[in-house]
Structures are given as structure tokens and as C-alpha cells.
Amino acid sequence: MPGIFVTGTHSNVGKTSFVTSLIQALREKGIDAVAYKPVQCGATEAETSPDADRYREVYDPELGDVLCTYLFKPKVSPHLAASMEDRLIEPERILRDYEFLEKMHDLVIVEGSGGLAVPLIDEHYGIPELMNDLGLPGLLVADAGVGTLNQTTMTVAYAKQKNVDLRGIVLNRYPDFPSVGVRHNPEMLERTTGLPIVGKVPETEDPDLSLYRSVYSEFLETLK
């Protein structure tokens, strides 16, 4: 199965919750899916990756699985966190860890750091360059509410500038009772970005996993 790179319009848009629920939904249907966070900034007090800890709620890693390659304590952009700790992010190491997971599992879902324009090394190498090096189709997580037309359209335009293979958009935190504006956003986003809305998922502690399986099915349709 083709891997997926999940990126976002900005930090705290809900990528980790989305990825965790998607992994759970697919594993319940017998797909050996795993999540992978190449770079995490803002380690927990126990010096673990907060996002990888979320993944472990629905997946018990097998021997050799690396769910997070680079973990930094400072909660800042990856390029700055690495500099503050006098370390270097090496894309080759990320590629090796991804390739191992890809060989061992049916599907690897990679979660980016922050939004799409986040630098990993410097202004020349960031999330777009990593996505292209991995050769993965992208899924963009955007907020369903106010401001998404601007944020999402600008993010997709930047992705096109960087030759990133974005295939679809997920509107996260979609309300149970959307306003007129929120209901109109999906149609307008498809027009402004040229990408399909492959899913609308609410923010809840008890996710409807069938919605996430539907997102995956819609995403696969874009690859045909």
C-alpha cells in the first residue's frame, strides 16, 4: 500500500489526533498500519515524543520500529531546536527509518512537524523537501472553521510551488452543527485549491472510526 504524508496548514491543527484515529481505524480492519513522526519538538518530562506516545495508545511497536527519529526538548521549529541542542537533522537517517517501517508493515503514515512550510534544516530544506525525498503523496489537515479558506489556499499554493504531491484535504474539528460559512467552506476550498475534500471529521474523544476509513478510501481514489 502507498504510504501517506500527513501535513497541516499550521501547528495544533489536530494532525496527531487524526493520524492516531486513522491508524486505529485501519488496524481494526486488519491493515497493519503504523504512524511515524520523523521530527518531534517539545519532548515530554519523561523525554519521550508526545505524538509517538499517542500512537502507542493504538499500536504496540514491534522490535526495531522507530516511531520518532529526532526528538528535541525545545518546543520551537525543528531547525532551531536542532541548533539549540547542537545537533543536525539528517534526511538520510529519516529515510532509513521510514524504509524499515515500510518493509515491516502494510502502510506507514508519516506525520510532519507543524505546518507545511516548516524548515527542518534551513530555508532550503523543510517539510516539502522531506515529502519529496520520501516520494509520498500528501494529505493536508486543515481546520474547518474561520480562516481556513485563507490558510488552506495559501498552503496548497506553496505546496505547488515546491512540487509537493498533495492529493486531498481533510477538514478537522468539523462541528456537529456547522454555521453557514463552515458548510460553504468545503465547496469553496475545492474551487480555490483544485484538491478534493476527502473527509470532514469532528473533534471528539470517541471518534467514529468509520469516518476515518472513509477518508482513507477517498484518499486512495485520488491515487488512481
Side-chain angles (χ1 to χ4, degrees):
M1 296 179 182
I4 304 172
F5 196 110
V6 175
T7 186
T9 54
H10 58 283
S11 296
N12 302 317
V13 73
K15 299 188 305 298
T16 302
S17 294
F18 171 77
V19 168
T20 302
S21 295
L22 180 58
I23 291 293
Q24 182 180 10
L26 296 176
R27 294 189 71 82
E28 286 195 0
K29 285 297 182 180
I31 297 175
D32 180 15
V34 298
Y36 171 50
K37 181 85 172 187
V39 183
Q40 172 87 72
C41 299
T44 67
E45 292 184 1
E47 297 188 8
T48 63
S49 162
D51 292 357
D53 288 345
R54 288 289 306 277
Y55 306 156
R56 291 186 182 93
E57 294 175 4
V58 298
Y59 168 68
D60 185 18
E62 297 181 9
L63 183 65
D65 282 355
V66 177
L67 303 189
C68 177
T69 298
Y70 288 100
L71 175 63
F72 301 106
K73 292 182 180 179
K75 197 170 185 179
V76 295
S77 178
H79 77 289
L80 179 57
S83 177
M84 292 170 68
E85 294 192 3
D86 195 23
R87 298 166 61 191
L88 177 66
I89 294 175
E90 298 177 289
E92 296 80 7
R93 183 177 167 190
I94 293 173
L95 294 177
R96 285 197 302 269
D97 287 345
Y98 172 80
E99 288 169 358
F100 177 85
L101 291 172
E102 186 181 35
K103 290 177 182 177
M104 299 300 293
H105 302 279
D106 295 337
L107 172 66
V108 184
I109 300 178
V110 182
E111 180 186 348
S113 303
L116 178 65
V118 167
L120 295 176
I121 299 176
D122 53 25
E123 70 273 24
H124 303 296
Y125 196 97
I127 295 296
E129 287 72 25
L130 178 60
M131 292 177 70
N132 290 336
D133 282 349
L134 289 168
L136 295 178
L139 183 59
L140 180 65
V141 176
D143 197 284
V146 175
T148 197
L149 293 179
N150 180 64
Q151 291 174 331
T152 307
T153 302
M154 290 180 67
T155 300
V156 173
Y158 181 74
K160 291 177 180 178
Q161 177 185 331
K162 290 286 189 174
N163 296 313
V164 170
D165 184 21
L166 282 184
R167 292 302 184 105
I169 299 168
V170 170
L171 289 177
N172 201 24
R173 300 167 180 157
Y174 201 86
D176 292 333
F177 303 100
S179 65
V180 173
V182 170
R183 291 200 303 271
H184 178 69
N185 282 342
E187 175 190 348
M188 181 54 69
L189 281 173
E190 289 190 334
R191 291 161 61 183
T192 61
T193 67
L195 293 177
I197 304 298
V198 298
K200 295 177 284 189
V201 295
E203 185 173 31
T204 174
E205 293 182 0
D206 187 23
D208 180 354
L209 298 183
S210 66
L211 288 177
Y212 292 84
R213 287 190 284 268
S214 176
V215 168
Y216 182 64
S217 295
E218 290 294 323
F219 183 79
L220 288 181
E221 287 295 316
T222 71
L223 303 179
K224 294 180 178 179

